[in-house]
Amino acid sequence: MYIDTHCHLYKEYYNNIDDVIRESIEEGVCKFIVNGCDMKSNKEAIEISHKYDNVYAAIGFHPTELDDFSDEYFDWLEDNINDEKVVAIGEIGLDYHYDNTNKEKEIYVFRKQLDIAKKYNKPIIVHSRDAIGDTYDILKEYNLRGSIHSYSGSIEMAREFTKLGYMLGIGGVVTFKNAKNVKEVVKDIDLSYILLETDSPYLTPEPYRGTPNSPKYIPYIAKAISDIKGININDVRGTTTGNAKRLFDNLND
Ligand code: NI
């Protein structure tokens, strides 16, 4: 069984989420962690996790979704963090990609959510884009566990994150021909630190690149990793599923 540790199965992206889940299970992808990004999607993540036994939620406020952010949202996060289907705080982090980035605000919201993760002993799912240095420096101050989602940094930084105890989320990018960097990271980092994820509906793996992503494509990501590491795909499946169950407590059942 595979686990998709990071996807966005929101109604605005998919006409029929029942179908997405059924088709994924047919491909051996049997558990899903739906990540929220803002208040609307966080509520939807919790709602869908209650609808399906095998769907779990990560709730948090994404660095590029902070325009309407209000401090009361931290209270909402605390009020919902102990929901039985909420397995992590995510998707949270730093994103310095856009010119109008408000770094101070991003860092403030990120740190407050890390404080909540610490208080409730919850793993985190981290988004980091053009901000890997600051992400690392901040996480180093906290003794937390989690996933660096869609990891795109250097091998050196990958090693540093694993030393802090973080796992690296690897998705469709690893199947792209020109993704030299991610392939090198996958080759270098021990499989015990790798999580599979799709980031659906984004980052669709080859050979379906250019169409909407689905958790059902996880086996293509596993295949690419098995090719790069020269190991059996069953080992990739078994180890990464074990990693996810170790990191996200409530997935064990
Ligand atoms: Ni995402």
Side-chain angles (χ1 to χ4, degrees):
M1 173 194 78
Y2 290 108
I3 298 174
D4 185 349
T5 61
H6 188 113
C7 55
H8 303 277
L9 303 183
Y10 310 158
K11 287 174 204 147
E12 64 173 302
Y13 299 137
Y14 297 96
N15 291 330
N16 192 331
I17 292 176
D18 285 340
D19 283 350
V20 173
I21 289 175
R22 184 181 43 76
E23 289 167 8
S24 299
I25 290 170
E26 281 168 13
E27 300 302 324
V29 185
C30 298
K31 287 182 194 273
F32 314 83
I33 301 178
V34 173
N35 282 235
C37 291
D38 57 10
M39 193 51 101
K40 180 169 175 272
S41 56
N42 281 319
K43 286 179 176 166
E44 221 180 297
I46 291 179
E47 193 186 306
I48 185 180
S49 76
H50 288 177
K51 185 172 173 197
Y52 302 93
D53 274 355
N54 46 359
V55 174
Y56 301 82
I59 54 174
F61 296 92
H62 188 287
T64 64
E65 306 296 327
L66 301 180
D67 287 351
D68 304 322
F69 191 84
S70 142
D71 271 15
E72 289 152 32
Y73 289 8
F74 297 127
D75 300 330
W76 182 87
L77 198 56
E78 288 203 59
D79 287 343
N80 289 277
I81 194 67
N82 282 326
D83 183 289
E84 57 177 2
K85 296 300 288 290
V86 171
V87 296
I89 296 187
E91 169 172 356
I92 63 173
L94 300 174
D95 191 322
Y96 296 167
H97 185 70
Y98 301 100
D99 291 338
N100 62 353
T101 294
N102 183 339
K103 287 189 187 180
E104 237 170 68
K105 188 175 185 180
E106 285 191 17
I107 290 171
Y108 166 73
V109 174
F110 186 37
R111 280 185 180 278
K112 290 282 276 190
Q113 295 182 98
L114 296 177
D115 291 335
I116 294 170
K118 182 106 197 141
K119 183 173 169 187
Y120 294 91
N121 188 27
K122 287 283 177 182
I124 54 174
I125 297 175
V126 180
H127 170 102
S128 180
R129 187 185 191 191
D130 299 341
I132 203 84
D134 278 5
T135 304
Y136 176 79
D137 289 342
I138 292 171
L139 290 182
K140 201 168 183 234
E141 293 174 28
Y142 291 80
N143 183 18
L144 291 167
R145 65 207 153 99
S147 163
I148 311 298
H149 137 71
S150 195
Y151 183 78
S152 58
S154 65
I155 290 183
E156 291 72 24
M157 286 307 294
R159 289 179 186 149
E160 294 303 319
F161 279 114
T162 60
K163 277 186 211 157
L164 290 185
Y166 285 88
M167 295 188 189
L168 307 179
I170 300 296
V173 176
V174 75
T175 68
F176 300 171
K177 274 208 178 65
N178 57 357
K180 203 168 149 252
N181 185 48
V182 176
K183 289 181 203 286
E184 282 173 3
V185 167
V186 165
K187 192 168 181 143
D188 182 80
I189 296 296
D190 193 272
L191 194 58
S192 62
Y193 290 102
I194 292 178
L195 295 171
L196 304 183
E197 60 168 54
T198 59
D199 207 17
S200 293
Y202 311 109
L203 300 176
T204 311
E206 293 289 2
Y208 298 103
R209 196 175 177 180
T211 65
N213 203 355
S214 161
K216 72 180 175 188
Y217 295 142
I218 280 274
Y220 292 93
I221 297 162
K223 174 72 168 64
I225 294 172
S226 77
D227 288 345
I228 291 164
K229 289 184 112 40
I231 57 178
N232 192 294
I233 190 169
N234 295 331
D235 294 336
V236 174
R237 187 181 57 219
T239 302
T240 57
T241 293
N243 295 343
K245 287 185 170 178
R246 226 167 44 245
L247 179 58
F248 305 107
D249 314 316
N250 314 11
L251 294 183
N252 273 314
D253 56 316

